[in-house]
């Protein structure tokens, strides 16, 4: 059992603490490899840009709260309650991607290949293509999450009753994969064979894209707010329990008929996960504010941040896996250099 009050193996001394000044919504690394800037999307209007040299810069991006964020590695895309979709570059330059005609909240944003951006407002979903063209579709209820397929221009939209799969360049309406309940987030497997949603209830649901076959993944203690695919794409790491839950996706049937692996058991609820982009390692954030690195091969653990300062709200690696950023609901943040 992990002792969340007296950790031993530690990287705390190599972690730079940051006072973000507001709750952290998301964190991402933007800019050229090796020279990325850590971008913290904050709940109150601004994005905090932090460089390796210790410089910190608050950039006013929205005229209101930031509700959603995503990154393609070159810029941070945010959606706000001011009805705008904004892009923030590593140098702090901001640009407007779209403004909702009805000034509805931008509940979700997603980024795809070649600069494609998607967002939702109300029951409407929008996609801006690489040519700057805007495509739109309506789903049956307010979307809970958006995700692009790893190849091609296909968007998954989680909503009440299932997930819609939409080709924005096609004239056909979205295809719906049904499952009762409220679906709050969505992700494609790295090979594109599976789509998985988080739900309002403490469970996940998935489908095999080729034939729509169902995959039920339950047994959680709380609602799953964070998922992340391992570097090899063979497992899906998830929060929502007092251990790191890893579902197998390396077979043709995914996790159907199989049990997940459970690593890093603790006395505390895991609320955020982020798998290393190259190695079998996962960063794990807890409700207590603690952050661990867990080696997936043998469950070895190293502490990055000790408990305290609010629940972990965001975790992210840079593209090479040499830096880890975290942020909490209380506005505490930090950067680990490996």
């Amino acid at each position: 059992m992990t002792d969340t009050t007296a950790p031993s193996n530690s990287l705390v001394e190599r972690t730079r603490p940051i006072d973000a000044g507001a709750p952290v919504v998301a964190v991402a690394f933007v800019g050229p490899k090796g020279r990325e800037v850590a971008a913290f999307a904050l709940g109150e209007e601004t994005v905090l840009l932090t460089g390796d040299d210790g410089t910190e810069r608050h950039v006013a991006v929205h005229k209101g709260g930031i509700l959603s964020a995503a990154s393609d590695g070159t810029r941070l895309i945010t959606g706000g309650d001011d009805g705008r979709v904004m892009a923030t570059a590593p140098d702090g330059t901001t640009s407007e991607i779209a403004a909702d005609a009805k000034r509805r909240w931008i509940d979700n944003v997603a980024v795809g290949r070649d600069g494609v951006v998607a967002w939702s407002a109300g029951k409407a979903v929008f996609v801006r293509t690489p040519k700057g063209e805007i495509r739109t579709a309506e789903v049956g209820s307010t979307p809970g999450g958006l995700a692009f397929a790893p190849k091609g221009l296909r968007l998954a939209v989680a909503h009440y009753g299932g997930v819609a799969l939409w080709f924005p360049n096609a004239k056909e309406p979205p295809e719906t994969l049904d499952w009762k309940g409220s679906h709050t987030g969505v992700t494609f497997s790295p090979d594109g064979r599976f789509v998985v949603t988080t739900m309002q209830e403490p469970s996940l649901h998935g489908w095999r894209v080729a034939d729509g076959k169902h995959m039920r993944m339950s047994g959680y203690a709380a609602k799953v707010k964070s998922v992340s695919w391992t570097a090899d794409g063979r497992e899906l790491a998830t929060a929502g329990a007092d251990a790191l839950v890893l579902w197998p996706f390396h077979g043709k049937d995914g996790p159907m008929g199989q049990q997940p692996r459970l690593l890093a058991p603790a006395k505390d609820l895991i609320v955020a996960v982020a798998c290393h982009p190259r190695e079998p390692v996962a960063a794990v954030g807890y409700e207590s504010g603690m952050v661990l690195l867990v080696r997936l091969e043998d469950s070895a653990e190293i502490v990055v941040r000790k408990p305290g300062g609010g629940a972990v709200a965001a975790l992210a690696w840079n593209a090479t896996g040499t830096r880890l950023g975290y942020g909490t609901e209380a506005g505490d943040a930090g950067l680990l250099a490996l």
Side-chain angles (χ1 to χ4, degrees):
M1 184 74 71
T2 299
D3 184 350
T4 61
T5 60
S8 53
N9 298 329
S10 174
L11 291 172
V12 173
E13 68 281 357
R14 297 177 61 178
T15 303
R16 175 157 62 96
I18 297 168
D19 181 6
V24 178
V25 175
V27 58
F29 289 88
V30 294
K33 289 183 180 180
R35 294 185 290 116
E36 302 103 331
V37 172
F40 296 89
L42 307 182
E44 300 175 2
E45 304 182 355
T46 65
V47 170
L48 171 61
L49 300 176
T50 305
D52 278 341
D53 57 1
T55 57
E56 297 179 10
R57 178 183 179 187
H58 283 267
V59 179
V61 181
H62 290 272
K63 298 178 181 179
I66 297 177
L67 306 178
S68 52
S71 175
D72 57 7
T74 63
R75 55 188 176 162
L76 182 70
I77 307 299
T78 53
D81 63 10
D82 57 359
R84 297 193 301 163
V85 182
M86 300 291 293
T88 304
D91 63 0
T93 302
T94 63
S95 57
E96 184 179 274
I97 293 176
D100 189 69
K102 301 178 182 178
R103 295 185 61 84
R104 293 172 294 183
W105 291 7
I106 308 301
D107 299 305
N108 302 281
V109 294
V111 293
R113 301 173 60 182
D114 303 320
V116 176
V117 178
W119 64 95
S120 67
K123 296 181 181 180
V125 181
F126 304 85
V127 168
R128 181 177 176 177
T129 69
K131 296 181 179 179
E133 301 168 333
I134 304 296
R135 306 280 193 256
T136 184
E138 290 274 341
V139 293
S141 61
T142 302
L146 307 173
F148 281 102
K151 296 181 179 179
L153 185 55
R154 192 180 200 184
L155 183 70
V157 184
H159 57 84
Y160 188 86
V163 61
L165 301 180
W166 177 39
F167 288 100
N169 284 333
K171 295 182 180 180
E172 291 78 13
E175 170 194 2
T176 300
L177 300 175
D178 296 318
W179 186 261
K180 64 180 180 179
S182 178
H183 299 259
T184 57
V186 62
T187 181
F188 275 100
S189 61
D191 58 13
R193 294 189 302 131
F194 304 99
V195 62
V196 179
T197 61
T198 57
M199 301 191 68
Q200 186 64 38
E201 61 185 89
S203 67
L204 306 179
H205 195 80
W207 296 262
R208 192 163 57 191
V209 174
D211 56 9
K213 191 168 184 178
H214 293 281
M215 298 175 292
R216 182 72 168 164
M217 290 162 277
S218 58
Y220 291 92
K223 175 182 174 181
V224 181
K225 298 181 180 180
S226 178
V227 302
S228 180
W229 294 94
T230 57
D232 59 10
R234 294 170 61 85
E235 293 179 293
L236 180 64
T238 71
D242 57 4
L244 178 63
V245 182
L246 290 156
W247 291 98
F249 277 85
H250 43 80
K252 66 181 180 67
D253 294 328
M256 289 183 286
Q258 301 190 57
Q259 293 297 316
R261 290 201 294 152
L262 303 177
L263 304 182
K267 301 174 184 178
D268 194 12
L269 182 69
I270 294 173
V271 291
V273 294
C275 290
H276 192 282
R278 296 183 177 182
E279 303 294 337
V281 171
V284 181
Y286 291 82
E287 198 169 45
S288 67
M290 185 173 68
V291 178
L292 290 182
L293 295 187
V294 180
R295 192 164 58 196
L296 305 184
E297 295 173 335
D298 58 6
S299 195
E301 304 169 12
I302 299 178
V303 175
V304 175
R305 182 178 190 271
K306 295 180 180 180
V312 177
L315 290 168
W317 295 93
N318 68 341
T320 55
T322 57
R323 295 169 70 200
L324 172 71
Y326 67 81
T328 75
E329 295 178 356
D332 296 311
L335 292 171
L336 168 66
L338 294 174

